[in-house]
Amino acid sequence: MLALSTSITNQLGGGTTPVFTFYVDPAGSDSNDGLSQVTPWQTVDKVNAATIPAGSTVLFKGGATFNGSLYLKEAQHSGTAGRITTFGSYGTGVATFNVVSSTEEGIWTQDVQYVLIKDFKLTGPGRTVSIYGGLDIAISKPSNARLQGLTIRNIEVSGFNNGIIGWGGASDGSSSGYDDLLIQNCLVHDCCANGNAIWLGTSAYGLLNKAATWLRPVIDGCKAYDNPGGYTSPVSHSGSGILLTGCDSAIVQYCEAYNNGAGNTYAAGPVGIWFYDCKNCIIQYCESHHNKTGVGTSDGGGFDIDGGCQGCIVQYCYSHDNYGPGYQLYQYSDAANILPMTGNRIRYNISENDGTQSPTTKGGLLIGTAETSRAASDNVVHNNTVFSSVASSNGFYLHSNPDKFTSSYFANNIIYLTGASTKVINSAPSAVPAVLCIGNCYSSPSTSIKWGATTYTTFSNWRTAFPTQETVAGAAVFKAANPTLVGTVPVGNINGFNSALLGAYKTQGASVCRNGGQNLNSLYGITVGSQDLYGNAIPQGLYDIGCFESA
């Protein structure tokens, strides 16, 4: 009893269950009480079998390697509101969980609540061997149960099929899930045979008919890199950096995704950071670069708001050197399950030398829909800056069925192309786009605007054929001039978003883009946000064109 009482780290009064700190060390013994560094438990299995009082802490020896998987279950390892149960490392460095079996995770959680998992390294048997995730967050509770209080922090994952995966799979097929999940400062690399690096998914698919599994999740300060995907067979969307589905009000911020997607024949449809089947979600302050996809396959871009998304935003981000488009807005066809694509925004971002995959150069900004029956209305791409020196690149690429983008706008963007045979705008020939282009600045070696089936080589001819384009109150509102940027571009890698390192994309005082933009709110009722990519308030007098708002 004396040993037990002296090990209590925080005993609450009023008959509340005591709170303990347990230690685990490969040099210990599972017959110990685990309540001090002198008498630690030895194995992960001991922790898996134990019932840990809510609010307690379990610490594994830093720098040590533990063979096997940590399995956390609701009845044995959960905390309660105000009493978070913590699993972490102590001493110097972090503990490693080493997994040699292809059918085991590094850490697996089942319906746990009020739990903090932090400071671990998870190493798997190899991405082409493993069939599970490094850290799996599993949900099985029925009846639309809402779970709370799970945080994943400072975890490094390598050598698994998926990196960090959350999967909502309620036993009755309902939308049971987590509120306010936080995944922070995690690294995922050298994973993804046929999976993804950081992935929130759900079997309760389709927000047209079901509630979101993940409410207000936050992915903050994470890196996903060198995750090839597509190893054994064609698998759609394997090899993505960060992918969220079935979410409402998610935030992905201060993250970096690079060199994901294998570029082999089996990697189809990965993107650096993206959403599908989501509502009211935001990607901001992120860098996504050098992501790939299989030869001749889709995607491989930096950022994407994809099928079934409504009210989602990508803002204040930097995309560069991706095989696919820097920023994509695309609706795949599934009218029975997903919401129509409406109310999305791509704004105050930079695309640099995106769309590099040959033979198809997909461009800086891409929109499209595979649906022919539903409109994709009220989508706005505004105040972005696209630079490309890639030959045959596209500034703004309207990929498929652009006539469905009704009441949608491409406005106040800079398209700055220096490569040969480029198109400032390139649309699919199947239909005339419904998107309205207003107040953009276009610069390229020669003018090429493909609008529907026809290519126009002057802005005058294009506007004559389509009198509402780049026209307000009968007057032309576009600029056909060099935007006169402050610095030398391209910039290249900046190791995560930092607007101070992107000053080259500001415009000089004499630029036609300064005070050259349109007031999108007064013209079309578009809320444009409160700041630019650099944190400057909007507006400051007249509106600017591009990602920078001048004083």
Side-chain angles (χ1 to χ4, degrees), residues 72-74 78 108-115 117 135-141 144-152 165-169 175-182 200-202 212-218 246-250:
L72 305 181
K73 297 171 282 296
E74 178 185 19
S78 286
W108 177 81
T109 75
Q110 181 73 55
D111 298 331
V112 298
Q113 298 191 74
Y114 303 106
V115 166
I117 302 170
L135 195 157
D136 279 14
I137 303 164
I139 305 163
S140 63
K141 294 179 75 68
N144 297 301
R146 304 308 304 173
L147 307 180
Q148 312 285 332
L150 180 59
T151 296
I152 312 296
I165 178 172
W167 191 257
S175 297
S176 295
Y178 275 96
D179 297 347
D180 305 304
L181 169 72
L182 174 61
L200 298 185
T202 177
T213 295
W214 309 93
L215 181 61
R216 299 182 302 274
V218 175
C247 294
D248 191 340
S249 303

